[in-house]
Structures are given as C-alpha cells and as structure tokens.
Amino acid sequence: MPRRKRTAAGSSSDGTADSDDSGDHEKTDSSHSEANQRNNTRLTRASLRLSQSSQVTVCIKIPTARLLYAPPDVKQAAERDESPPRTPTGNAPSSESDIDTSSPNASHDESGLIGKNNRHFAISGCPLYHNLSADECKVKAIEREKQEEERSQGQNEENRHATRHQAPTQRQVRYKEKVIEMRKRRDSGLTKDQKEKYMEHRQTHGTTREPLLENITSDYDLELFRKAQARAAEDLEKLRLQGQITEGSNMIKTILFGRYELDTWYHSPYPEEYARLGRLYICEFCLKYMKSQTILRRHMAKCVWKHPPGDEVYRKGAISVFEVDGKKNKIYCQNLCLLAKLFLDHKTLYYDVEPFLFYVMTEADNTGCHLVGYFSKEKNSFLNYNVSCILTMPQYMRQGYGKMLIDFSYLLSKVEERVGSPERPLSDLGLISYRSYWKEVLLRYMYNFKGKEISIKEISQETAVNPVDIVSTLQSLQMLKYWKGKHLVLKRQDLIDEWKAKETKRGNNNKTIDPSSLKWTPPKGT
C-alpha cells in the first residue's frame, strides 16, 4: 500500500523538504525514537502511521511542542494548551460545560466550523458552540467543495447569458423538484421527547452552546443554514488574515451609520462578538447593530421605523425633537447610549436607562428622520440637572445643532419653572459648547437690558441658567468685579457690539429653537 503523506496547515517551508526525505530517514528515526522521547529535545518530522485510526498525524517543530490537530481517539504525546471558545456574550463557558477554560483571549488549536483551518478566533467559528465535532466539520467542508465543483461544472456546460431570459434548464427544474420533495419530508413538529431533549440542552449549556436545530425546519434548509454559517466564519477568517480584525482587539474602529461612515473616538461596551469585528453596521432609525452590510441591507428592507419611538414634542421645518422614555423604549435607549459612548469619554450610563428621558433631535427628508443628536435627563433630579448626557453626531458638528440641543434643554427648564444646569463632568467638546452658549445668553440679555441695576438672580430666573454658571461665565468675560465689598457686573459694550455684529452677519440660518413650536407638558412626578 503506498505511503500517505499529509502536511499540517501553517507549517514552515522546511516541512516540505522533511516530508520528501522521510523515506530515506525512516529507519534512522525509528532507531532513535526512544532516545528522542527520553531527552525530549525535539519532535521528529517524519509521518507516523497509526494503525488504530488509519489516519496520519504530522507533528511540526514549534516552540510550545503542540500538535495542530489529531484525531479525538488518539492520545496526544505533546502537551496541549487548549483555550475555551468564547460565548456569545464574550465570557468563558461555565463550569457545567465540558470545555476547558484556561485562556479566555487565546484562539483554539482545533479545526473550526470552516473545516479547513486548524485555528479559529471567534465564537462563530467554534465547532463546540455549534454542537459539532472537528471531524464533522471536515466532512461537511469536503461535501461543500464537491457540491461547489459540481455546480461550477454545470454552469460551465450551460450558457448563462443565452438562457438568462429563457425558461429554466432541465438541471434547474430537477433541482427545484428535489428541494420541494426534501421539504415535504419534514416532520410535522417536535415530539415530546425531542422537546425535553432541547430544554435539557438549553438548561445545561445556556448561551455557551447554540440551541439544537434538528427538525425545527427541513434538512435542506438546515443544511443551507449551516453552509451560511461556515461561509460567514470563513469570511471573518479572511478579514483577520488581512489585518482588518485583530486578535484580542475590542475596539470598534468605524461604524456605517446611514449614508455616513464614521470613525469612532472611544471604546464602547458592545458585546464582544461585535466589538472585535472592528467595523459595525447600525440602522440609523432603530439603532440596531449588525455584523455585516448584507445583514444591514436585509434589515433595512424590513425595518418599519422611520423616526425615534416616543412623542414628537417639537417641530419646526425639518427639525424635530422626540421625547423617548427609557422605561417604555428600553432597547432603543440602550442602543443609543452604546452609540454615544463611541464619541464620549466620560459617559458611564449604558443599560440602566429606565430613570431617564431621552430627547432625540432629528432632521427629516423623504427617507425618514435622521438622528442629529440627543440629550438625556433624569426624571427626578435632586440637583436640578437638566442634562445628564448630550451628544451631537460627528457628521452634524460645527453646524449649530449643539447649541440648539442646549437651548432646548433650557427651554424645558423654563416650562418647568426651574433653574437647570448640566451634570458634571462635561466632556471637552461639551464644555466648549456650554461656555459658548452661556456667553451668548448673557450678552443677549445685556444687549436687551435697559435698566441701571442688574441682578444675577434675575438673570437666572429669566434664562433658567444656574447662578453658578452665570458667575463663572462673567468671570471668564472679565465682567465681574469686586469693589468696596460688593460684586459689580460690568457692561462691556465692546463684547456686546462684537456679539451683535456676528449675529447680524450670521443672519437667519434656522438654527434656533422657537418656543412657540414646543408642544410639551412636564411629565408627572418630575
């Protein structure tokens, strides 16, 4: 019987030469095998014939002396350093699982769902997660390759361009009949024993394993789903090899949001199987996050959302503001917080959104209401904070929308007859925006003020700005002086004239909040 040779994936160029010379050195290797095992100085590169499994396992010389793959019924001579597969939430499996948990960030030295590679790096490529063994994945990979070859041969025999607008070919008709017949053979439903088996599997493994899928649909559709999973795992592996996905990287580099591709600034705690992709696809209406553009395209075809949930409390022109209750629309608000964290450094609120109200500003066109920015506020704030978190999307920055959001928050405070202030600490861009807004409010008040004596308390009551913020702004403008035991507010005409000139030059750009367009009453209990 001719000698079978097999090389392990990932071996160096020396492995080919050693394989070619294995016949010449076979006797030498076998005579010195006991000495090599006793000294443990190196692993032989000669192929070993295993009589029990009728398979060949090739060892390669690597620093950890670890076999890349071996049949499960053969005991390994080298030490193995296996790592646990990642769960869908990014955590290692529980103690109930039969998977070893030694290194959560390392990859598996085991054939993945693709059936070709000896290592897999994501949960989507783990055979154990999909309730499969490495051997089953290899067999399915061979079957897929054969089917792909048969399909390509059939396409070559037929002229695709000539039959594009004609009737289906005989091969296509036979395939369609075969699929219909396979789907008819599916059982009507799950038996009682099958349901108990599925429930036991779910209780035992939880989210560390994929649910059992047998008999839920036809064998043909299940096999089609398995092929799609293997194809997705293979595409992820290609992206990793191209450097677009980094091992252990949990930083999303870019997001596709509507018609914009945005570079992120900070880390956001998305689930690990999404975070390690490096690129995220987000629906701009419901804020659902997805792994690929194909999934996003299919979602957009079915998504019925064209504006944020909740009540529209303001509209003027194309600008609208929606009030979203974190308790009533929890998933949307959580997704909004995760999105905002990509562009905010100090944000800590992600999942506990129930005590907050979210005011989402949008710009409408013929496709829907596009997210411009938002701010959140506590339903019951003991410190009278009117803003807990505020964000303008990067594509709308430096266009006046930030000041509109701030002005709208103070407009709500005026309706509530309260004095408001943003929650600290403010981000760098937030601090710049608020200082600019406070300066503009004070200079406008000074320009319209005709009296002789001015009071900080009166300014606060009319503008709803906290007195502490007013004093800090006056100090930065050098308009607050201490003279003869009293604090005096100086009316600097040069600053007022400069502000008025900018206002005149700016003109009517519709980037202002109109109080008459607000249709809102304070929520009960606030």
Side-chain angles (χ1 to χ4, degrees), residues 299-436:
H299 168 81
M300 294 301 295
K302 298 182 294 182
C303 185
V304 297
W305 291 31
K306 295 301 178 184
H307 59 78
D311 301 325
E312 185 179 13
V313 297
Y314 177 89
R315 181 192 292 182
K316 183 179 181 182
I319 301 299
S320 298
V321 178
F322 293 82
E323 182 185 63
V324 185
D325 192 336
K327 186 176 182 179
K328 296 179 181 179
N329 302 277
K330 188 174 181 179
I331 301 299
Y332 178 87
C333 295
Q334 287 177 348
N335 290 340
L336 182 60
C337 291
L338 289 173
L339 174 64
K341 183 61 182 72
L342 294 171
F343 308 102
L344 295 175
D345 188 18
H346 299 288
K347 183 171 179 59
T348 56
L349 171 67
Y350 311 121
Y351 301 109
D352 186 20
V353 296
E354 296 183 5
F356 294 87
L357 292 171
F358 294 79
Y359 294 89
V360 184
M361 179 175 288
T362 62
E363 187 177 40
D365 59 14
N366 55 355
T367 61
C369 298
H370 305 280
L371 178 64
V372 173
Y374 87 100
F375 69 88
S376 61
K377 62 181 294 186
E378 289 184 273
K379 297 176 182 178
N380 295 284
S381 177
F382 297 102
L383 299 177
N384 286 336
Y385 288 139
N386 61 358
V387 168
S388 296
C389 177
I390 186 169
L391 169 74
T392 304
M393 293 297 291
Q395 67 269 29
Y396 292 102
M397 287 183 177
R398 302 186 65 84
Q399 299 179 38
Y401 291 105
K403 286 186 179 179
M404 289 183 67
L405 284 170
I406 297 174
D407 196 16
F408 188 81
S409 68
Y410 280 106
L411 176 60
L412 299 183
S413 297
K414 292 177 184 177
V415 175
E416 293 176 319
E417 297 181 352
R418 292 184 178 182
V419 174
S421 180
E423 186 175 339
R424 269 68 169 181
L426 291 169
S427 63
D428 297 336
L429 293 177
L431 183 60
I432 294 174
S433 299
Y434 266 97
R435 282 180 175 174
S436 176

Side-chain angles (χ1 to χ4, degrees), residues 428-447:
D428 297 336
L429 293 177
L431 183 60
I432 294 174
S433 299
Y434 266 97
R435 282 180 175 174
S436 176
Y437 175 79
W438 290 330
K439 174 183 175 181
E440 185 176 330
V441 167
L442 288 177
L443 292 178
R444 182 184 291 109
Y445 183 87
M446 295 287 187
Y447 177 79

Side-chain angles (χ1 to χ4, degrees), residues 14 40 46 91 128 160 197 213 216 230 236 254 279 297-298 326 337 358 366 404-405 409 427-428 430 451 486 490:
D14 296 337
N40 196 20
N91 299 323
L128 293 177
R160 296 177 60 190
K197 178 182 176 182
L213 304 176
I216 292 180
L236 288 176
T254 59
R279 181 184 176 94
R297 186 167 56 249
R298 292 177 178 175
C337 291
F358 294 79
N366 55 355
M404 289 183 67
L405 284 170
S409 68
S427 63
D428 297 336
K486 294 182 179 181
L490 303 180

Side-chain angles (χ1 to χ4, degrees), residues 87 92-99 101 204-205 208:
T87 64
S94 63
S95 58
E96 297 176 350
S97 175
D98 56 350
I99 306 171
T101 57
T204 303
H205 300 288
T208 62

Side-chain angles (χ1 to χ4, degrees), residues 235-253:
D235 291 343
L236 288 176
E237 181 65 18
K238 288 180 180 178
L239 292 175
R240 188 193 66 81
L241 294 175
Q242 293 172 4
Q244 298 185 28
I245 300 179
T246 307
E247 297 178 38
S249 174
N250 293 328
M251 175 68 179
I252 299 172
K253 304 297 188 300

Side-chain angles (χ1 to χ4, degrees), residues 172-341:
Q172 292 173 340
V173 172
R174 290 194 301 268
Y175 182 76
K176 182 179 179 180
E177 294 175 351
K178 179 182 176 182
V179 171
I180 294 175
E181 184 64 25
M182 292 176 66
R183 286 175 172 168
K184 285 182 179 179
R185 288 200 299 264
R186 176 180 175 264
D187 296 335
S188 58
L190 298 175
T191 63
K192 183 177 180 181
D193 294 339
Q194 288 176 332
K195 291 181 179 179
E196 292 178 355
K197 178 182 176 182
Y198 286 16
M199 290 300 296
E200 182 181 358
H201 178 275
R202 190 66 175 175
Q203 293 174 359
T204 303
H205 300 288
T207 58
T208 62
R209 294 287 184 92
E210 184 183 66
L212 298 178
L213 304 176
E214 285 72 14
N215 207 37
I216 292 180
T217 184
S218 64
D219 294 339
Y220 170 78
D221 292 313
L222 179 59
E223 185 63 25
L224 203 62
F225 177 68
R226 293 295 189 195
K227 290 179 182 178
Q229 285 182 321
R231 179 67 180 272
E234 187 174 1
D235 291 343
L236 288 176
E237 181 65 18
K238 288 180 180 178
L239 292 175
R240 188 193 66 81
L241 294 175
Q242 293 172 4
Q244 298 185 28
I245 300 179
T246 307
E247 297 178 38
S249 174
N250 293 328
M251 175 68 179
I252 299 172
K253 304 297 188 300
T254 59
I255 62 171
L256 192 68
F257 190 79
R259 61 180 182 271
Y260 299 98
E261 182 178 355
L262 307 176
D263 294 329
T264 61
W265 301 348
Y266 304 102
H267 167 75
S268 182
Y270 280 96
E272 187 171 352
E273 64 267 27
Y274 293 89
R276 66 170 53 198
L277 294 176
R279 181 184 176 94
L280 213 56
Y281 301 83
I282 302 178
C283 174
E284 63 175 330
F285 298 118
C286 68
L287 304 185
K288 177 181 173 62
Y289 47 90
M290 287 150 276
K291 294 182 179 180
S292 67
Q293 194 163 10
T294 302
I295 302 176
L296 175 63
R297 186 167 56 249
R298 292 177 178 175
H299 168 81
M300 294 301 295
K302 298 182 294 182
C303 185
V304 297
W305 291 31
K306 295 301 178 184
H307 59 78
D311 301 325
E312 185 179 13
V313 297
Y314 177 89
R315 181 192 292 182
K316 183 179 181 182
I319 301 299
S320 298
V321 178
F322 293 82
E323 182 185 63
V324 185
D325 192 336
K327 186 176 182 179
K328 296 179 181 179
N329 302 277
K330 188 174 181 179
I331 301 299
Y332 178 87
C333 295
Q334 287 177 348
N335 290 340
L336 182 60
C337 291
L338 289 173
L339 174 64
K341 183 61 182 72

